[in-house]
Short mmCIF file of all heavy atoms in Angstrom, two decimals:
data_model
loop_
_atom_site.label_atom_id
_atom_site.label_comp_id
_atom_site.label_asym_id
_atom_site.label_seq_id
_atom_site.Cartn_x
_atom_site.Cartn_y
_atom_site.Cartn_z
N PHE A 6 -46.98 38.86 -23.19
CA PHE A 6 -46.43 37.53 -22.89
C PHE A 6 -45.04 37.35 -23.52
O PHE A 6 -44.11 36.94 -22.81
CB PHE A 6 -47.40 36.43 -23.33
CG PHE A 6 -46.90 35.06 -23.01
CD1 PHE A 6 -46.86 34.62 -21.68
CD2 PHE A 6 -46.44 34.22 -23.99
CE1 PHE A 6 -46.39 33.37 -21.37
CE2 PHE A 6 -45.96 32.97 -23.69
CZ PHE A 6 -45.95 32.53 -22.37
N PRO A 7 -44.83 37.65 -24.82
CA PRO A 7 -43.47 37.50 -25.37
C PRO A 7 -42.46 38.43 -24.70
O PRO A 7 -41.30 38.06 -24.51
CB PRO A 7 -43.63 37.86 -26.85
CG PRO A 7 -45.07 37.62 -27.14
CD PRO A 7 -45.80 37.92 -25.87
N ALA A 8 -42.84 39.63 -24.30
CA ALA A 8 -41.93 40.55 -23.63
C ALA A 8 -41.53 40.01 -22.26
O ALA A 8 -40.37 40.11 -21.83
CB ALA A 8 -42.56 41.92 -23.51
N LEU A 9 -42.51 39.42 -21.57
CA LEU A 9 -42.24 38.84 -20.26
C LEU A 9 -41.27 37.67 -20.39
O LEU A 9 -40.31 37.55 -19.62
CB LEU A 9 -43.56 38.40 -19.61
CG LEU A 9 -43.45 37.81 -18.21
CD1 LEU A 9 -42.89 38.84 -17.24
CD2 LEU A 9 -44.80 37.33 -17.74
N VAL A 10 -41.46 36.81 -21.37
CA VAL A 10 -40.57 35.66 -21.61
C VAL A 10 -39.17 36.16 -21.95
O VAL A 10 -38.16 35.66 -21.45
CB VAL A 10 -41.13 34.75 -22.72
CG1 VAL A 10 -40.10 33.73 -23.14
CG2 VAL A 10 -42.40 34.07 -22.25
N LEU A 11 -39.05 37.17 -22.79
CA LEU A 11 -37.76 37.71 -23.21
C LEU A 11 -37.02 38.33 -22.01
O LEU A 11 -35.82 38.15 -21.86
CB LEU A 11 -37.95 38.76 -24.31
CG LEU A 11 -36.67 39.31 -24.93
CD1 LEU A 11 -35.86 38.19 -25.53
CD2 LEU A 11 -37.00 40.35 -25.98
N SER A 12 -37.73 39.02 -21.15
CA SER A 12 -37.06 39.63 -20.01
C SER A 12 -36.57 38.57 -19.02
O SER A 12 -35.51 38.73 -18.42
CB SER A 12 -38.00 40.63 -19.31
OG SER A 12 -39.05 39.94 -18.68
N VAL A 13 -37.30 37.49 -18.82
CA VAL A 13 -36.88 36.41 -17.92
C VAL A 13 -35.63 35.73 -18.48
O VAL A 13 -34.69 35.45 -17.75
CB VAL A 13 -38.02 35.39 -17.70
CG1 VAL A 13 -37.51 34.15 -17.02
CG2 VAL A 13 -39.14 36.02 -16.89
N MET A 14 -35.57 35.52 -19.80
CA MET A 14 -34.43 34.86 -20.42
C MET A 14 -33.18 35.73 -20.36
O MET A 14 -32.08 35.23 -20.12
CB MET A 14 -34.75 34.50 -21.87
CG MET A 14 -35.74 33.35 -21.97
SD MET A 14 -36.23 32.98 -23.65
CE MET A 14 -34.70 32.69 -24.44
N THR A 15 -33.26 37.00 -20.53
CA THR A 15 -32.09 37.87 -20.53
C THR A 15 -31.53 38.07 -19.13
O THR A 15 -30.33 38.23 -18.97
CB THR A 15 -32.41 39.24 -21.15
OG1 THR A 15 -33.48 39.84 -20.43
CG2 THR A 15 -32.71 39.12 -22.61
N THR A 16 -32.34 38.00 -18.10
CA THR A 16 -31.79 38.13 -16.74
C THR A 16 -30.94 36.93 -16.39
O THR A 16 -29.98 37.05 -15.64
CB THR A 16 -32.91 38.31 -15.69
OG1 THR A 16 -33.81 37.22 -15.79
CG2 THR A 16 -33.62 39.62 -15.86
#
Side-chain angles (χ1 to χ4, degrees):
F6 182 71
L9 182 62
V10 169
L11 186 59
S12 69
V13 168
M14 289 176 55
T15 58
T16 56

